[in-house]
């Protein structure tokens, strides 16, 4: 054992050496200081002082937060990503009403936005206090809304605090900053910007329902006045010919049912020895879940919005599900969509 932590003898002289922690954001891996003494008692006393001072040095090395330019780029990225996700959810709710509807989607987006705003302010796992309840009530939220906001605070706060999400934030901000990694204080800034950016995007979600309406109204007025939408002159209309009768749809060469497709895929892999019984079961089970989530039984009828709905549901499912009698009676949507499951 050495005479003190991080201290060793190099020739006749004692040296202090310590690994630099990640929070210090340094390109070097170690900090080394010669204690310039051959006396073990003096070296021990100096090592204690250097160790204490090194903690202050490491903290100062990681004190700087994000630069204004990186912060702005990160905020723009967060808001753009969240708006795109919100638009996809709204389109899916409009075209697949059994999984929700646009008004409910926007309603819960706004409640989630309020929750994220509060998480950015005070952190997760904290219930609404009386001041926050009064503030939200004054802005028109009901008691039921406050219960949902409180629920989303815990749910979304825990999601952002996972190791996977924090690593994702660190990685994306490091890419924007052109660094291999960011410091602890830069991460604190990045996480707060992430929460506030998502909150702002979600709180603006009500505007997405009106997207395109103003353009449509202007075009409708021009058409009503007899004007060509793209110019003052009306283009001559093409002669309309009767459309040819559609050719009969050819009979599929194989059964297009999702389960049948999965059986053929698993069967071919089993025949070639490229799949285990467990994997073959998972292939068939995935097909069953896809049909249940989208209510599409024929693979020819699958569209991108169906796959997006399936992906969202699979992402929202807990690691283990339908293990209890209650869950076995629930649909996938009831297990993943808060609109269908009252918050207790």
């Amino acid at each position: 054992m050495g005479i003190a932590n991080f201290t060793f003898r190099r020739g006749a002289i004692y040296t202090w050496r310590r690994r630099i922690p990640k929070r210090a954001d340094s390109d070097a891996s170690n900090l080394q200081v010669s204690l310039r003494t051959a006396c073990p008692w003096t070296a021990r006393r100096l090592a204690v002082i250097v160790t204490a001072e090194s903690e202050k040095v490491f903290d100062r090395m990681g004190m700087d937060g994000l630069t204004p330019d990186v912060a702005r780029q990160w905020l723009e990225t967060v808001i753009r990503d969240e708006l795109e996700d919100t638009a996809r959810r709204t389109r899916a709710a409009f075209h697949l009403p059994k999984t929700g509807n646009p008004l409910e989607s926007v309603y819960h987006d706004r409640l989630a936005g309020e929750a994220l705003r509060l998480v950015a302010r005070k952190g997760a796992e904290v219930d609404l206090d009386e001041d926050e309840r009064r503030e939200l009530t004054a802005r028109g939220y009901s008691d039921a809304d406050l219960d949902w906001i409180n629920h989303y605070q815990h749910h979304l706060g825990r999601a952002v605090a996972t190791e996977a999400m924090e690593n994702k934030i660190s990685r994306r901000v490091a890419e924007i900053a052109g660094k291999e990694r960011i410091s602890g204080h830069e991460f604190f800034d990045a996480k707060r910007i992430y929460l506030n950016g998502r909150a702002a995007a979600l709180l603006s979600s009500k505007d997405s329902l009106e997207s395109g309406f103003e353009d449509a109204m202007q075009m409708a007025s021009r058409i009503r006045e007899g004007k060509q939408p793209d110019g003052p002159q009306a283009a001559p209309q093409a002669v309309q010919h009767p459309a040819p009768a559609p050719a009969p749809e050819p009979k599929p060469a194989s059964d297009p049912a999702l389960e049948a497709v999965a059986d053929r895929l698993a069967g071919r892999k089993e025949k070639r020895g490229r799949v285990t019984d467990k994997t073959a079961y998972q292939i068939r089970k995935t097909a069953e879940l896809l049909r249940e989530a989208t209510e599409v039984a024929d693979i020819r009828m699958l569209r991108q919005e169906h796959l997006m709905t399936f992906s969202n549901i699979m992402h929202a499912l807990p690691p283990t599900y339908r293990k209890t009698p209650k869950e076995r009676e629930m649909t996938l949507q009831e297990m993943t969509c808060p609109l269908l499951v009252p918050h207790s």
Side-chain angles (χ1 to χ4, degrees):
M1 180 179 295
I3 62 171
N5 289 337
F6 315 115
T7 307
F8 63 95
R9 189 168 182 170
R10 192 169 189 175
I13 303 299
Y14 284 95
T15 297
W16 181 95
R17 180 185 176 92
R18 185 177 181 185
R19 182 177 294 278
I20 298 175
K22 291 183 178 180
R23 74 176 188 274
D25 187 31
S26 171
D27 293 331
S29 58
N30 295 285
L31 182 63
Q32 181 170 307
V33 178
S34 173
L35 299 179
R36 299 179 180 274
T37 181
C39 173
W41 304 106
T42 302
R44 181 183 297 115
R45 179 173 58 83
L46 291 175
V48 171
I49 295 172
V50 173
T51 298
E53 288 300 315
S54 71
E55 290 294 335
K56 299 177 184 178
V57 171
F58 293 150
D59 285 339
R60 285 196 296 272
M61 289 170 69
M63 278 296 290
D64 291 337
L66 296 176
T67 65
D69 186 56
V70 172
R72 177 188 56 77
Q73 291 184 57
W74 174 229
L75 179 59
E76 288 179 358
T77 299
V78 171
I79 292 176
R80 188 182 305 111
D81 288 350
E82 188 62 39
L83 288 175
E84 290 175 356
D85 287 344
T86 301
R88 283 194 290 267
R89 287 195 301 271
T90 302
R91 284 196 300 270
F94 183 83
H95 293 291
L96 301 171
K98 291 188 179 181
T99 64
N101 66 62
L103 290 176
E104 287 176 329
S105 178
V106 169
Y107 165 72
H108 278 273
D109 280 345
R110 287 181 59 76
L111 298 182
E114 295 287 3
L116 285 170
R117 183 178 62 85
L118 293 171
V119 172
R121 177 196 296 177
K122 62 180 183 179
E125 303 296 336
V126 181
D127 287 330
L128 289 173
D129 59 31
E130 289 304 316
D131 289 339
E132 290 164 344
R133 286 182 172 274
R134 280 194 294 270
E135 173 197 341
L136 292 167
T137 300
R139 289 165 51 198
Y141 288 104
S142 67
D143 288 341
D145 296 338
L146 300 188
D147 289 340
W148 276 114
I149 292 172
N150 198 57
H151 165 69
Y152 281 132
Q153 275 192 122
H154 292 273
H155 177 71
L156 297 175
R158 285 193 296 268
V160 174
T162 62
E163 183 178 1
M165 180 54 70
E166 291 188 343
N167 287 340
K168 180 178 179 181
I169 292 172
S170 297
R171 184 173 61 253
R172 296 189 68 184
V173 175
E175 290 174 356
I176 293 173
K179 296 182 176 182
E180 183 178 349
R181 64 177 182 271
I182 60 175
S183 70
H185 283 267
E186 286 176 319
F187 171 75
F188 297 150
D189 285 351
K191 188 172 182 179
R192 185 174 294 107
I193 289 171
Y194 174 80
L195 292 165
N196 281 321
R198 286 193 62 195
L202 288 169
L203 288 170
S204 70
S205 62
K206 66 177 182 179
D207 299 331
S208 65
L209 290 180
E210 300 296 325
S211 176
F213 179 72
E214 187 63 30
D215 291 340
M217 284 294 292
Q218 292 178 6
M219 182 174 289
S221 297
R222 295 181 68 86
I223 293 174
R224 181 183 294 275
E225 295 167 4
K227 297 178 180 179
Q228 180 71 10
D230 293 330
Q233 297 294 328
Q237 296 185 356
V239 178
Q240 300 294 321
H241 298 285
E249 185 175 348
K251 183 178 180 181
S254 55
D255 189 347
L258 289 177
E259 287 85 351
V261 174
D263 285 339
R264 290 196 299 274
L265 176 61
R268 284 198 297 268
K269 288 183 176 292
E270 287 171 326
K271 187 179 295 184
R272 297 174 185 172
R274 296 183 180 178
V275 68
T276 63
D277 290 342
K278 181 178 180 180
T279 305
Y281 169 79
Q282 290 173 338
I283 291 173
R284 296 181 173 100
K285 191 63 178 177
T286 300
E288 293 178 11
L289 291 172
L290 177 59
R291 176 177 53 77
E292 182 181 353
T294 63
E295 298 186 352
V296 174
D298 189 325
I299 194 171
R300 297 171 299 177
M301 304 302 294
L302 277 177
R303 298 293 182 267
Q304 185 173 354
E305 58 265 26
H306 299 131
L307 298 179
M308 182 180 67
T309 298
F310 179 63
S311 175
N312 290 339
I313 289 177
M314 291 299 99
H315 180 74
L317 280 175
T320 58
Y321 57 93
R322 287 183 172 163
K323 298 294 185 182
T324 64
K326 180 181 178 181
E327 284 189 349
R328 283 194 286 269
E329 298 296 325
M330 297 169 64
T331 65
L332 294 178
Q333 285 80 5
E334 288 172 333
M335 283 189 285
T336 58
C337 180
L339 298 174
L340 303 177
V341 183
H343 175 54
S344 57

